Amino acid sequence: MAGFSETGPAAPVALRELLVELGDLKRVRSAGRAGSIAERLFAQGWAALTGGAAPETVAFDITAKALAAARLCDLDAAFLAAAGLDEVQAADILVAGLDAVSGPVEAGLRDRLRACLREPAALSSGPLPAFVGALAQQPRAGVTCPGKPRILLEPPENHAEHCLIVAVYGVLLSPFYRADPTTVFLAAMAHHFHNAAMPDAGFTGEMLLGDHLWPIVGRCSEWALDELEPPLRETVRAARLVLPDDATAEGRAFHAADSIDRVLQIAQHLRAATLTMDTVLGEMELVHAGPVKAFQDRVLTDMRIP
């Protein structure tokens, strides 16, 4: 993967399809589990951090789980163990899920993520800060522009989902920008702290707040930071220093991840709206090969479907 330079590409296009697929973790849910996979990984990450895990360990653990879930969804380590598989068998499946999507990932990073699934860290769960639940309940604003009515796309993502996906994107993009993935991960996990208390009115609302915007954002962010115990609070505060600009490698990795996720979120709605039966029945083989396919095809033909 070529690295970032001022005159070369500003982002690694080889990762595009993987990032699209990971974004769908905001929309995958399972019976008996509250929230999307992205929302739950966001909570897992913060529980591990407050439980005393090293931020670097959490960054790679959560990213590895997200990559495996891109194809396996909630066929995760907990389910596989409950279904009777031993640790080696479960790890084989999880690594196969990661390998199915991680071809474009920088080789050294891919090996490290694979190792996280082979030998998962023993992470203790600490208390969940209140901002975790609040961000999961806070919808994103949709498409807004000053002077124009907003465009709402249902169902909206929430801020926990957005922060988690940006954090995972940030880790995967870090080698390209030669950025520290742990700093990028933490910054992304914390970049919407203010929205735990502040409803999201989008770009339009921010502009209408005028000179009050940044003082309000600052106060609301501090309320979330105050829920963390030192030294974690100061570690997160330090990571957030990369958020204002792209002057650092970490800032570039974060802002690339943030902008990619914001636009891919809208692209997902547009992709769904333009889906055709040719894609569903042909390319995706909704009625797939098996002992009854010929009969199923006759049924669809005679029912004039599609």
Side-chain angles (χ1 to χ4, degrees):
M1 184 188 298
F4 172 81
S5 70
E6 293 296 338
T7 57
V13 69
L15 286 174
R16 183 188 185 282
E17 295 308 313
L18 171 57
L19 302 186
V20 170
E21 193 165 354
L22 286 169
D24 283 337
L25 297 182
K26 300 174 189 175
R27 294 169 276 276
V28 178
R29 292 169 171 78
S30 296
R33 304 192 188 196
S36 67
I37 290 177
E39 183 179 321
R40 285 183 269 119
L41 286 177
F42 182 74
Q44 285 181 37
W46 279 111
L49 288 167
T50 64
E56 181 179 22
T57 300
V58 177
F60 288 106
D61 176 79
I62 294 296
T63 301
K65 288 175 178 174
L67 281 170
R71 294 286 170 85
L72 288 167
C73 299
D74 270 323
L75 301 179
D76 57 11
F79 168 79
L80 295 173
L85 276 64
D86 62 32
E87 291 181 0
V88 174
Q89 292 169 328
D92 285 343
I93 292 172
L94 295 173
V95 170
L98 183 148
D99 287 346
V101 298
S102 63
V105 176
E106 190 270 333
L109 175 58
R110 183 172 62 246
D111 289 344
R112 183 162 186 182
L113 295 172
R114 189 184 287 118
C116 288
L117 299 176
R118 286 283 179 206
E119 298 180 8
L123 301 179
S124 299
S125 292
L128 270 186
F131 64 72
V132 172
L135 288 170
Q137 294 173 10
Q138 192 75 274
R140 301 268 289 158
V143 183
T144 69
C145 182
K148 300 177 182 179
R150 73 182 59 243
I151 299 172
L152 290 174
L153 298 169
E154 297 289 340
E157 62 180 324
N158 63 52
H159 280 271
E161 293 167 330
H162 169 67
C163 288
L164 184 282
I165 294 299
V166 173
V168 170
Y169 283 5
V171 172
L172 298 177
L173 290 166
S174 286
F176 180 82
Y177 298 100
R178 300 182 179 89
D180 172 45
T182 303
T183 298
V184 180
F185 180 86
L186 279 183
M189 290 283 278
H191 80 284
H192 274 285
F193 266 3
H194 57 286
N195 287 118
M198 180 180 181
D200 189 355
F203 184 31
T204 299
E206 291 175 352
M207 292 301 96
L208 290 172
L209 286 173
D211 292 341
H212 299 294
L213 171 63
W214 292 114
I216 290 174
V217 168
R219 282 193 291 273
C220 292
S221 298
E222 284 298 320
W223 293 342
L225 280 164
D226 285 344
E227 294 182 39
L228 301 175
E229 296 293 331
L232 177 58
R233 180 193 308 150
E234 298 314 314
T235 300
V236 173
R237 191 190 301 277
R240 281 170 48 89
L241 293 176
V242 309
L243 296 177
D245 54 49
D246 62 357
T248 63
E250 291 72 29
R252 287 189 285 275
F254 164 75
H255 285 290
D258 183 49
S259 58
I260 289 169
D261 181 59
R262 281 190 285 143
V263 177
L264 286 182
Q265 172 67 17
I266 306 305
Q268 185 273 335
H269 288 278
L270 300 178
R271 188 169 74 248
T274 58
L275 186 65
T276 67
M277 276 296 182
D278 285 342
T279 298
V280 171
L281 292 175
E283 180 181 338
M284 300 303 292
E285 299 183 72
L286 180 63
V287 179
H288 47 265
V292 297
K293 185 177 188 306
F295 173 69
Q296 291 172 325
D297 286 342
R298 286 177 55 202
V299 168
L300 294 175
T301 297
D302 290 342
M303 289 295 291
R304 299 177 185 176
I305 302 172

